[in-house]
Each structure stands twice: as structure tokens, then as C-alpha cells.
Amino acid sequence: MALYALFESSSGYALFLAHGIDEIGQNTEAVRSSVVDLNRFGKVVKLAAFYPFESALDALNQCNAVSEGLMTEELRNFLELNLPKIKEGKQVKFKLGVAEPKIGSHISEVTKIPCLSNEFVLEILRGVRLHFDRFIKDLKPGDLEKAQLGLGHSYSRAKVKFNVNRVDNMIIQAIFLLDTLDKDINSFSMRVREWYSWHFPELVKIVNDNYLYAKVAKYVEDKSELSEDKIPGLAEILGDEDKAKEIVEAAKASMGQDLSPIDLINVQQFAQRVMDLSEYRKKLYEYLVTKMNDIAPNLASLIGEVVAARLISHAGSLTNLAKCPASTLQILGAEKALFRALKTRGNTPKYGLIFHSSFIGRASARNKGRMARYLANKCSIASRIDCFSEMNTTVFGEKLREQVEERLDFYDKGVAPRKNVDVMKAAIESVQNKDDEDTAPNTENADGEVSLKKSKKKKSKDEAAVNGEPMVVDEAMAVTNGDASPGTEKKKKKEKRKLAQEQDHVQAPESLGAVNGFNSDQEGTTKKKKKKKSKDVDTEDQDIQSASEVKKKKKKKSKGDDEE
């Protein structure tokens, strides 16, 4: 059986024919040793066909298709032209060797060409790659290297651009930097407190906030020079005039030691650095909020920007988080405790990073686990909507947040929550309404036409009510708008049945129900209706029997008359 080998190079597709190889020789070490020697390898493997790429863009598209395991039209035409034709009902006398099993399966599905991918094929392709410039005669010595370098740069650049468009890396770096800044600011502010407390120890109890403490320490400088003239400045910093007066009074009777001017300068510089770090932290938090609203708006509105960013950074990307099931998302961040519990056969953790959400803190101790499981389910839905939807909206996240609030009320007060199907329908309707509002024309003529249509609809409804005509309500619209509950749907169905029965009663007063004495306006349960149906059937049978008896009597009378 002949063996063809498909080689995808940076300059084009090449098809090689390996002849004179038996099945026994395929598993020997002689094949690997003969690959290096071109004289021996060239006798076995020969070039059958070559298809050059038209441009660098074409080469990039072909490379992307091969990496994803897809066969392009160019590759299909190349194979069908240069391989022996396959006839139905006859045995195939060749096989196609490929390096990637994915593209081999796709080729065999589409073209019915039998593909092979094993160690022997890989060794042949290794030899082809080693001596490829010798097989193609028209290639110059440096052409192949240039094509490989250009294709490698464009392929990697396309992958990096795709990653940049997702912008997951920006969120991951921002949340890491935010957490480290929190640690650094806390440790630096404690160092400022300890350093300046040697000079003014009473200030620690008056000012609790780290940022305000550093600001006050920079403003006060030497406590001996603090007077009542600086009360307005302190009041502006602290936002409280009473605290400013208290600081001035405490400075007069302070027990701290005096510091030299050089020491005070160092304390002031360090306090300024702490202030700059805290201000930069605020700006970084605002940047993170804007990025989360652009990339994962539903997840951010459901669980908060910081917790959502931590989940994304721990999963690696938004796509990885969307692929995680809800059970994995629930314990994301508690892997160490999970494996320790599995090893010791103890209780597994109930929550990981999701514990920092306010919903878990608001739940009671016995409901924390259930709340974590429900919240993880909603976070999984929100992350998948953010990852795979093209619309940038927060409607789904807000609706999911309402569901979590309802679940909290259900655990605490026993109030029944809405169903997920109804909530999602309402969210979809609200998104569609927003799109309609955005696409609606803003001109005066269009507004006038819309108002005229609305007024006509109102008039027609009013006329129908005046004339006593029954108005039919569209239940589907009510359900999709979220205005109808299951109870109201049943009521509306009953009202419809009443109206239909009234119309039938007016049009045909001699109906079966009227003849048999049944009142069609009465409402009853399903059992009563079944009994009515059975009675109606019995009466119809009786009427048929009576009619047949009357006919028989008439026939007898006519016979008697004939005899007479």
C-alpha cells in the first residue's frame, strides 16, 4: 500500500510519496538513522506535488486553519488533484500521513481519504523538514528562512492581538497590583504611626484613618509650633472642627520627645509617599471598575468588581472562568483546603474567593453553604453571558442579583422566589426594549406617527368597550413582559372561556347545553366538566335512539296503509 505524506511548510503545501517501505521496516531503528542521510532518505521519499501560498496573508490563514484542525478549500483541492481517485465499492490502495490527528480526522470525514498519524509518519515528516530546501528546486537558500520568520511573527502577533482584545490580562494585573498596594499601604501607614508617635503619641487615638493620619502628620510637623491658627487647616483635612481643636489641645500637653529637623523632614517625606500611594490606589480602583464594566459587566454588577476580578485572575481568564462549572467556581481559591480535606477524609470547604461577597456575610450560619452554592450558580451564568455574548449590558447581572436577594429573603422569611425562566425572559425583554429605543427614529414626524398609532389603538379599545364587544388579551405579551404570574394566566384563561361560551350562547341558543338545561356561564372544576361531557354524550345517544324509533314507527304505519 502506497503512503503519501502531507507537509505544511511556511511557503506552501507539499505532498511526498514514500515507496518501497514494508510494514516490517516501519518499526526498526534504521528508519530514524536513515532520515539524517539525504542519499538514503531521497531514494525512499520523493516529492509528488507542491502548492505555493499566494501571499503572507494566505500563509497566515492556512496556518491558523491547520492549527485549529480544519481543512481549507485550497488544501482540499490540492489533495483531490494530486492523490489517486477513490472509487466507490473498491478498496483504497493508499494512505495519507499527517502530523496532526485533528486535521487527519477532518480530511477523512470530508474527502473519505484514509489518514494515518503514527511515529513512522512523524519520522518521515522530520526528514522532509530537514531536507525540504533540497526537494524544492526553485527555492533560494535564504527564502525558506525568511518565510518561516515572517510567518512566525505574524502568527504570534495574531495570537497576542486576540488576547489583547479580551483584555483579561489588564484586569489580572490590576487586581494583583491592587492587593499588593493594600498590603504595602497598611504596612507603611503603621510605620508612619510608629515613627511619628515618638514625637506626638496622642495623635494616634484622635485620628484612626491611616491616610488622614499621614496627612495630619505632614501638616503638623513640629507639635511645639502647633497653635490655634492652624485649626482651620486641620478642620479642612479632617472635616471636623472639634477633632482639630482636640489635636491642638493634645499638642500643648503632649508627652512625646522632640525630634531634630532632619528627622522631621524624613517623617514628612515618608508620610507624603504613603499619601501618594493611597491616592494612586484610588485611581487604580477606578480603572479596575471601568475595565470590569467593559469586559464583565454582568459579573461585576452581580458580585462586585473586586471579587469578580479576583475570580477572573484566579481562573486565568474570563474564558476559563466561563468554562468552569458552578461547583468549581464555588471553591475557587480554596484548593489547598479542598485537597487537605480529600486527603484526611474530612469536610470539604463550602466557599473560596466567593466568601468575600456581601451575600455570604448576610446569610445566617446554617445557610452560608446553600447561599454559596446558589451564588456560584448565578456567577457561572453571568460569566458565560459576559464571555460569549456580543452585547455589553448589565441587565442580566442586575436580574441575577435580584434573584440572589430573593433567595436570601426565602431563607430568612420564607418568601417564595421567582423562577429562573421568568427572570431570564424579563431580562431578554428589557434588553430588546432598550435596543428598540436606541434604533427608534428621533424625528418629530416619527414621534407624531407613533403617537397617532397609539391614540388609534386606544380609540379602538374604548369603542370595543362601549359597544360591549369582548376584548381578547394577548397572554403571550403579558408573560414575556413579566406582568403575568401563573395565577393570573389561569384567571385570564377562565375569562376567555366565559367570553367564548357567552358568544356561542348568543349565536346558537338551541345548543346542546341549552336544550339539556346546562348553564354554560357557570365555572366548575375539571371533574364537573368531564361529567358534563359524559352527560352530553349520553343525551346525544338518547336523541339518536329516539329518532331511530320514530323512523321505525313511521315505516310500520306506511306499511299498514299500503296493505289496507
Side-chain angles (χ1 to χ4, degrees):
M1 182 176 286
L3 178 64
Y4 289 89
L6 176 65
F7 180 68
E8 307 94 355
S9 69
S10 57
S11 56
Y13 290 120
L15 195 65
F16 290 87
L17 174 61
H19 55 84
I21 299 173
D22 54 354
E23 294 182 359
I24 299 171
Q26 291 183 8
N27 298 324
T28 59
E29 291 291 331
V31 177
R32 295 182 181 178
S33 60
S34 63
V35 164
V36 182
D37 190 5
L38 180 61
N39 294 325
R40 296 175 63 188
F41 185 74
K43 293 177 181 178
V44 177
V45 178
K46 291 184 179 181
L47 180 66
F50 179 68
Y51 173 76
F53 296 137
E54 295 178 357
S55 62
L57 182 61
D58 186 22
L60 178 61
N61 294 332
Q62 299 293 331
C63 182
N64 288 327
V66 169
S67 63
E68 293 173 3
L70 300 175
M71 181 183 61
T72 59
E73 287 295 326
E74 292 82 2
L75 179 58
R76 180 176 180 176
N77 295 333
F78 173 67
L79 293 176
E80 289 179 349
L81 284 172
N82 297 290
L83 287 175
K85 292 183 179 180
I86 300 174
K87 297 181 180 179
E88 294 183 0
K90 291 187 178 181
Q91 188 178 2
V92 182
K93 296 181 180 180
F94 70 94
K95 284 187 179 181
L96 179 65
V98 292
E100 292 291 334
K102 287 184 178 180
I103 195 170
S105 61
H106 192 227
I107 290 170
S108 61
E109 285 177 5
V110 177
T111 60
K112 307 299 180 182
I113 296 173
C115 295
L116 182 67
S117 179
N118 54 17
E119 292 183 0
F120 176 69
V121 173
L122 293 177
E123 288 297 326
I124 289 178
L125 291 175
R126 184 170 70 89
V128 169
R129 190 180 300 109
L130 188 62
H131 308 293
F132 184 70
D133 54 346
R134 304 286 184 88
F135 286 105
I136 309 298
K137 296 179 181 179
D138 296 334
L139 280 178
K140 295 179 182 179
D143 289 345
L144 188 61
E145 287 77 7
K146 289 179 182 178
Q148 289 174 350
L149 188 63
L151 182 60
H153 279 293
S154 58
Y155 181 75
S156 59
R157 193 181 299 114
K159 290 294 181 183
V160 170
K161 278 186 179 180
F162 177 77
N163 198 6
V164 166
N165 288 332
R166 293 308 309 166
V167 204
D168 297 337
N169 293 331
M170 302 300 111
I171 289 177
I172 293 169
Q173 298 300 329
I175 193 62
F176 271 126
L177 184 56
L178 198 68
D179 291 338
T180 53
L181 275 178
D182 287 336
K183 294 177 183 177
D184 294 341
I185 288 169
N186 286 330
S187 59
F188 291 162
S189 57
M190 292 302 297
R191 185 61 57 195
V192 169
R193 284 174 178 270
E194 290 180 6
W195 201 347
Y196 195 67
S197 293
W198 287 96
H199 181 63
F200 195 179
E202 290 82 8
L203 186 62
V204 176
K205 294 181 180 179
I206 300 171
V207 183
N208 295 322
D209 188 68
N210 294 329
Y211 179 71
L212 291 178
Y213 185 90
K215 232 176 178 181
V216 170
K218 187 177 182 303
Y219 180 77
V220 171
E221 296 180 2
D222 194 355
K223 66 177 181 180
S224 60
E225 297 178 0
L226 190 62
S227 60
E228 294 180 357
D229 299 337
K230 292 188 176 182
I231 289 177
L234 288 171
E236 187 179 354
I237 293 170
L238 297 170
D240 190 0
E241 193 173 352
D242 296 334
K243 279 190 176 182
K245 292 178 180 178
E246 189 178 354
I247 289 171
V248 173
E249 293 297 328
K252 293 178 181 177
S254 177
M255 297 294 293
Q257 66 178 4
D258 295 332
L259 294 179
S260 64
I262 297 174
D263 296 335
L264 285 173
I265 289 170
N266 284 316
V267 173
Q268 290 172 14
Q269 288 178 352
F270 189 56
Q272 184 63 43
R273 291 297 177 91
V274 173
M275 290 163 56
D276 294 340
L277 276 176
S278 57
E279 289 173 0
Y280 173 67
R281 195 257 179 205
K282 290 179 183 177
K283 292 179 182 178
L284 185 66
Y285 177 74
E286 293 174 359
Y287 166 77
L288 181 64
V289 168
T290 55
K291 279 291 179 185
M292 286 299 298
N293 290 330
D294 291 338
I295 296 158
N298 293 300
L299 187 61
S301 60
L302 170 63
I303 203 171
E305 289 83 5
V306 177
V307 181
R310 282 176 183 156
L311 286 173
I312 291 172
S313 66
H314 196 83
S317 66
L318 181 62
T319 308
N320 292 343
L321 184 66
K323 290 177 182 178
C324 289
S327 57
T328 305
L329 193 145
Q330 181 182 351
I331 57 170
L332 208 64
E335 290 84 2
K336 191 175 180 181
L338 174 67
F339 292 124
R340 184 174 63 246
L342 293 174
K343 187 177 180 181
T344 59
R345 295 183 181 180
N347 295 326
T348 55
K350 297 177 182 177
Y351 26 68
L353 291 170
I354 209 171
F355 178 76
H356 297 287
S357 174
S358 59
F359 295 115
I360 308 297
R362 287 163 55 191
S364 60
R366 59 190 294 269
N367 293 326
K368 282 186 185 295
R370 292 197 290 177
M371 198 66 223
R373 185 169 63 249
Y374 188 80
L375 184 59
N377 182 16
K378 299 303 170 189
C379 288
S380 180
I381 294 171
S383 63
R384 288 166 188 174
I385 292 171
D386 289 329
C387 183
F388 300 111
S389 69
E390 296 179 355
M391 295 181 296
N392 191 0
T393 177
T394 59
V395 173
F396 293 98
E398 292 168 359
K399 295 292 183 183
L400 292 172
R401 188 178 182 87
E402 291 174 6
Q403 278 190 288
V404 179
E405 294 281 355
E406 290 174 2
R407 182 63 58 151
L408 273 174
D409 294 337
F410 172 70
Y411 289 148
D412 295 338
K413 303 173 185 177
V415 181
R418 292 176 293 172
K419 290 184 178 180
N420 191 36
V421 178
D422 300 333
V423 175
M424 288 295 106
K425 280 183 180 179
I428 292 168
E429 283 294 322
S430 60
V431 170
Q432 289 177 353
N433 292 334
K434 282 185 179 180
D435 293 339
D436 294 339
E437 289 175 2
D438 294 337
T439 55
N442 294 324
T443 58
E444 294 180 358
N445 295 330
D447 293 338
E449 289 177 2
V450 171
S451 60
L452 283 172
K453 286 180 182 178
K454 287 183 179 178
S455 62
K456 285 181 181 178
K457 285 182 181 179
K458 285 183 180 179
K459 283 183 181 179
S460 62
K461 287 181 181 178
D462 295 336
E463 289 174 359
V466 169
N467 296 328
E469 295 175 1
M471 290 174 61
V472 180
V473 181
D474 193 356
E475 292 178 1
M477 290 295 292
V479 172
T480 52
N481 290 328
D483 299 331
S485 60
T488 56
E489 285 182 12
K490 289 181 181 179
K491 288 180 181 178
K492 288 182 179 179
K493 286 181 181 179
K494 286 182 180 179
E495 289 174 1
K496 270 192 172 184
R497 287 172 188 165
K498 274 187 182 181
L499 294 170
Q501 287 171 0
E502 286 175 2
Q503 289 177 353
D504 294 337
H505 184 68
V506 171
Q507 292 173 0
E510 295 181 357
S511 60
L512 287 173
V515 169
N516 294 319
F518 291 106
N519 187 6
S520 61
D521 295 332
Q522 292 180 352
E523 291 182 4
T525 58
T526 54
K527 292 182 180 179
K528 289 183 179 180
K529 289 180 181 178
K530 288 180 181 179
K531 288 181 180 179
K532 280 185 180 182
K533 287 182 180 179
S534 62
K535 286 181 180 179
D536 292 340
V537 172
D538 295 335
T539 53
E540 286 177 359
D541 295 335
Q542 289 175 3
D543 292 338
I544 291 166
Q545 288 176 1
S546 61
S548 62
E549 288 175 0
V550 169
K551 286 182 180 178
K552 287 179 181 178
K553 287 179 181 180
K554 286 182 179 180
K555 285 181 179 180
K556 285 181 180 180
K557 284 183 179 181
S558 63
K559 285 181 180 180
D561 294 336
D562 294 335
E563 289 174 359
E564 290 176 356

